[in-house]
Amino acid sequence: MGKCGWSVRRFPVIEAYASDGTFGVTPEPHVRRSRPHRPPCGQASTYKYLQILNCFARRRCEWRATAMALRVLHVIVPREKTGDVVEALKEEGWEYSCISGVDNTLILVTASLEEMEDVVSTLNALGVGREYGSTYLTPVLASSPQPARERRLALERASKEEIMAVIERSGRLTGNYLLLTALGAVLAALGLLANNVAVIIGSMLVAPLMGPITGTAMGTVLSDRRLFEEGVKAEVIGIGISILIGILLTKVFPGAAPTPEILARAQPTIADFALAIVSGLAAAACLTGGIEAALVGVAIAAALMPPAANVGIGIGLGNPLISLGSAFLLLMNILSINLACTLMFWIQGIRPIAGRRRIVAARVLKRRIITVLLALLVLSLPIGLTTQGIYEQAKVTPVATMALYSQVLEAGGIVGNLNVAYDRVNKLTIIQAVVYSKTPLGTDFAKKVSVITTVVSEVPAVTVISSLQVNSISIALG
């Protein structure tokens, strides 16, 4: 099974004991004797292993944790290294049990989540899992008797090793990552070009762009340069693939033109910034809480793939405003999610091994948070202007519409076309309309519309009316 593992056939139980000396197992005579026919594979070892697990219940350990926060660490070390590991566990006062075999020793350590991280760090310092032996961490889903529960409201957190395992699976640059990114980009680009919201949502579910962001956040908190660089590399390559696919599909899509979905992602607002922050906090909470299934909803809320594909669509359409606006939205989402994940990981108590590295991690964290905040501050200036323009547009559009229709109905005409635009540079509302009427409109018609709009919305307005005189007007209601 490997250099540090063991085979059940080569693992006859010689002794088993607990750290407090309250439990000892001596194999039955037939296990020690040489017999013509051997017991079924793993029968003796499995029986003694179950006895060791039952030992924990008989000693009635009072763990200060909920069942979800309990962990069992299986440590397999060479027999000659058992003394060093056991001595380290005794010095720290951790509960453990051992099953010794011919070549290796299985040590079971049960502790709360907070204590287990210290156990793993101590064993890693001894070289377990790196120079020799191996460790396997499993959660305790149920136990008898139930551990003592503290009556307090607190966030339950998975262990650092469990969180790292999830991030390693989702944040690395692998073939599956590249394939899912390409498929997500195709769905996003087609959904945007076809103005299909359902397809756009599907692209968010497929695309794995959230994984590398959480990887960079964890690399920052742990001062793990390799993890941080791998996350940045995967994210950059994924975004590059998305932009390239957006360009190619725009060139081959029949009648490609800006749709409402494309334009919506080219105008980032402060609301998008707030959504990205909340999405980052939710992603970190799902990871630290061991709730991977909820990451699907977080991926939809974060919406990383559509703006990435929209950058390519803007390039393919030759519209730099769409590309620039989408790039602003994408960069803001990435930085906001990274910042929120980093802060949540740190608040949840995820730290490097105590010592100099923890001091270095605090410095790196402070430096990177300041950098991200400065970048978000720079991005917030144009986004703030866009938000203001959208707000003013939403305020003046219904006012201008009501002003125009009231005057047209009074004149006995109908509105053929209406366009209301807010000029952010001049802070001016521009109303353009085509009106059909039986009689010529008065010279002050456009002025009345402008005055009403200006008074009600408190924004200066200019009205341009194209009047077409017809002999008769019929209105059909259906």
Side-chain angles (χ1 to χ4, degrees), residues 29 267 292 468:
Q267 297 178 339
E292 293 184 58
L468 298 178

Side-chain angles (χ1 to χ4, degrees), residues 403-416 434-442 445 448 467-475:
L404 178 66
Y405 273 86
S406 64
Q407 295 300 311
V408 170
L409 290 176
E410 185 179 338
I414 60 173
V415 178
V434 176
V435 177
Y436 300 94
S437 63
K438 292 182 179 180
T439 59
L441 299 176
F445 182 87
K448 289 181 180 180
S467 178
L468 298 178
Q469 189 174 351
V470 294
N471 294 328
S472 64
I473 298 176
S474 61
I475 300 177

Side-chain angles (χ1 to χ4, degrees), residues 302-463:
L304 293 169
M305 179 55 75
N310 214 37
V311 174
I313 291 175
I315 297 174
L317 293 175
N319 191 327
L321 294 179
I322 293 178
S323 298
L324 188 60
S326 302
F328 269 110
L329 177 60
L330 177 62
L331 187 58
M332 181 188 66
N333 284 347
I334 292 175
L335 293 177
S336 301
I337 294 172
N338 180 272
L339 176 63
C341 285
T342 301
L343 293 176
M344 178 62 79
F345 288 152
W346 188 265
I347 292 172
Q348 287 278 56
I350 298 176
R351 303 284 192 280
I353 299 175
R356 177 173 176 79
R357 190 171 180 182
R358 178 169 292 189
I359 300 175
V360 174
R363 293 175 181 174
V364 172
L365 176 66
K366 181 179 179 181
R367 184 169 63 249
R368 287 180 179 170
I369 287 179
I370 292 175
T371 302
V372 172
L373 287 175
L374 290 176
L376 288 175
L377 181 62
V378 173
L379 290 174
S380 66
L381 298 178
I383 291 174
L385 294 176
T386 302
T387 303
Q388 182 185 6
I390 294 175
Y391 170 76
E392 295 293 342
Q393 177 78 39
K395 184 174 71 171
V396 301
T397 298
V399 174
T401 302
M402 292 182 63
L404 178 66
Y405 273 86
S406 64
Q407 295 300 311
V408 170
L409 290 176
E410 185 179 338
I414 60 173
V415 178
N417 189 22
L418 173 63
N419 180 38
V420 181
Y422 176 76
D423 187 350
R424 295 198 302 267
V425 178
N426 299 313
K427 297 182 179 181
L428 183 68
T429 302
I430 301 175
I431 305 171
Q432 296 176 314
V434 176
V435 177
Y436 300 94
S437 63
K438 292 182 179 180
T439 59
L441 299 176
T443 55
D444 59 344
F445 182 87
K447 185 177 180 180
K448 289 181 180 180
V449 174
S450 298
V451 169
I452 296 174
T453 304
T454 302
V455 171
V456 177
S457 66
E458 299 180 353
V459 177
V462 174
T463 303

Side-chain angles (χ1 to χ4, degrees), residues 64-66 114 149-156:
R64 290 186 176 181
T66 63
E114 294 79 7
R149 295 175 180 243
E150 294 184 357
R151 294 181 176 273
R152 61 188 179 89
L153 183 63
L155 293 176
E156 293 182 341

